[in-house]
Amino acid sequence: MNPTRIDLYKTGEYSYERSYGFMPNLRIYLQEDEKIHPTILVIPGGGYEFVSAREGELVAEKFVSLGYNCFVLTYTVNPLHMTPLKRQSLNDAARAIRTIRMNAEKWHVDPERIAVMGFSAGGHLAASLTLHYMDAEEPDPAYAAINARPDAAVLSYPVITTGEFAHMGSVRALLGYSFETPESERSIFGKPMPGCETPAGEMHYASLETQVTENTPPVFLWHTMTDASVPVENSMLFAAALRKCGVPFALHLFSNGKHGLSLANEAWATCCGKGEYTYEPTRAFTNAALAGEIDLSDEVKMELIENEHFGTGVAKRNEVPVPEVQKWPELADAFLKTYF
């Protein structure tokens, strides 16, 4: 596929201070017929530091084969934890949903059957969108008039909590601090997000197991028990909150598999150079660093250049497919069809 790229914002609407020319965007993967189809907004992970290529195009192509229209979101990230994201990534995701609904007729999308699908930190962003969509800042009245709430969510090994089982890197990139940061030092990262009176309130807001309500859309979750990066407790905490609020959900826990499995198949294991458009924000950051726009040591600049996600480095793959996990797309498809 050669997906169409569209920018999410017009000139003057996007102002994250460390974007260095990057513009949040969508890549569009549509069915070839003109029938109306259910749709998935795919949000790759990357710890809110980069946007993973192996959780973008591969996933979109798989779900196109299952009958969906798909859109891959390349969103704002915070590569070296220099300027906290706060709600910027949420704004990007909300604008993406609104853009899809605004163009539903053109793209043959059913505006009432749009799911958000997130991986790892992208799972946190996807879940945040289901819970906090009404808090996304939207400067354009035409977009603001369109509902940003997804109709369902699929969360793959998601970052959920900011507490005991948190993925520290994601929390720091998002807020500037984690629960390990003394309360007295958190204020240096700027004012809390609107509606969060204190840094502690901001941490609570971003700990998504505490934010579930009866209005939360149906959720499909999957995780592996051996995930060493984002503990399985993240999905379990969210599932418990969904159950308490009476929200329809499915939770699939697989016995084995590392973090970041994506499709867990041979395509994932060997993927190299496919869908690398997701690296736009981090490579813009690297180019700015090399041009002297960011004050970094030569050592850090070299690390950026050699990093697969930031510069020109190409990782050698020695991944092994995990057959047990490979059926999750079909399970998610069956779940979505139940509620769509």
Side-chain angles (χ1 to χ4, degrees):
M1 290 187 178
N2 184 25
T4 301
R5 178 193 191 281
I6 62 166
D7 289 340
L8 285 176
Y9 299 103
K10 298 187 290 287
T11 301
E13 290 183 326
Y14 176 72
S15 59
Y16 182 68
E17 65 180 87
R18 294 195 180 274
S19 61
Y20 302 107
F22 163 71
M23 177 66 72
N25 61 80
L26 287 174
R27 288 311 204 287
I28 305 174
Y29 300 78
L30 301 179
Q31 300 292 328
E32 294 183 357
D33 59 41
E34 295 189 356
K35 297 178 182 178
I36 303 300
H37 291 274
T39 294
I40 297 174
L41 173 64
V42 179
I43 306 181
Y48 282 120
E49 298 171 356
F50 66 95
V51 183
S52 171
R54 292 198 290 169
E55 294 163 343
E57 184 164 279
L58 290 177
V59 175
E61 290 179 345
K62 174 64 178 179
F63 279 87
V64 166
S65 76
L66 293 174
Y68 296 84
N69 287 326
C70 290
F71 298 77
V72 176
L73 174 63
T74 302
Y75 54 97
T76 309
V77 291
N78 180 13
L80 296 184
H81 300 178
M82 301 179 82
T83 300
L85 294 164
K86 305 293 184 176
R87 284 199 180 121
Q88 182 58 64
S89 302
L90 176 64
N91 295 343
D92 298 347
R95 172 61 75 98
I97 289 286
R98 288 175 165 133
T99 298
I100 294 168
R101 283 203 169 107
M102 181 178 283
N103 293 279
E105 183 175 356
K106 172 184 175 182
W107 291 330
H108 306 294
V109 165
D110 183 342
E112 296 182 355
R113 292 191 296 166
I114 299 176
V116 61
M117 177 180 291
F119 298 78
S120 191
H124 186 275
L125 180 52
S128 295
L129 184 62
T130 68
L131 301 171
H132 296 313
Y133 63 91
M134 72 294 290
D135 297 333
E137 299 169 12
E138 179 48 70
D140 188 325
Y143 283 98
I146 299 172
N147 189 0
R149 179 183 182 271
D151 299 299
V154 177
L155 306 181
S156 304
Y157 41 88
V159 175
I160 293 294
T161 186
T162 64
E164 178 184 359
F165 300 104
H167 182 257
M168 296 298 197
S170 296
V171 177
R172 284 193 292 265
L174 186 67
L175 301 179
Y177 54 84
S178 71
F179 72 81
E180 291 183 335
T181 307
E183 186 78 19
S184 60
E185 298 178 13
R186 296 179 186 178
S187 62
I188 67 173
F189 299 102
K191 294 181 179 179
M193 292 180 286
C196 303
E197 296 181 359
T198 65
E202 192 173 47
M203 287 279 287
H204 181 71
Y205 179 90
S207 203
L208 301 180
E209 79 279 11
T210 71
Q211 304 296 304
V212 176
T213 71
E214 295 178 355
N215 188 49
T216 303
V219 179
F220 178 95
L221 294 137
W222 73 270
H223 222 116
T224 62
M225 297 299 293
T226 55
D227 191 324
S229 297
V230 177
V232 68
E233 283 82 0
N234 281 263
S235 285
M236 296 171 72
L237 285 167
F238 202 63
L242 294 167
R243 179 172 174 79
K244 183 176 181 180
C245 290
V247 177
F249 75 95
L251 172 62
H252 293 268
L253 302 180
F254 299 102
S255 67
N256 184 51
K258 64 182 291 185
H259 185 70
L261 281 175
S262 183
L263 298 180
N265 59 7
E266 192 67 28
W268 161 79
T270 60
C271 175
C272 188
K274 185 174 180 61
E276 287 196 356
Y277 55 76
T278 63
Y279 297 149
E280 284 182 13
T282 42
R283 291 181 176 170
F285 184 91
T286 298
N287 290 337
L290 298 179
E293 298 175 38
I294 309 173
D295 185 17
L296 298 174
S297 69
D298 290 341
E299 181 181 6
V300 172
K301 290 178 183 177
M302 184 56 64
E303 289 177 357
L304 292 176
I305 292 171
E306 294 176 349
N307 188 295
E308 174 193 9
H309 311 128
F310 290 75
T312 57
V314 178
K316 294 181 179 179
R317 300 293 184 201
N318 60 353
E319 310 285 17
V320 178
V322 185
E324 178 189 357
V325 178
Q326 291 172 19
K327 288 297 183 181
W328 78 260
E330 285 75 19
L331 293 170
D333 175 43
F335 179 86
L336 291 176
K337 285 176 178 174
T338 299
Y339 293 98
F340 279 179

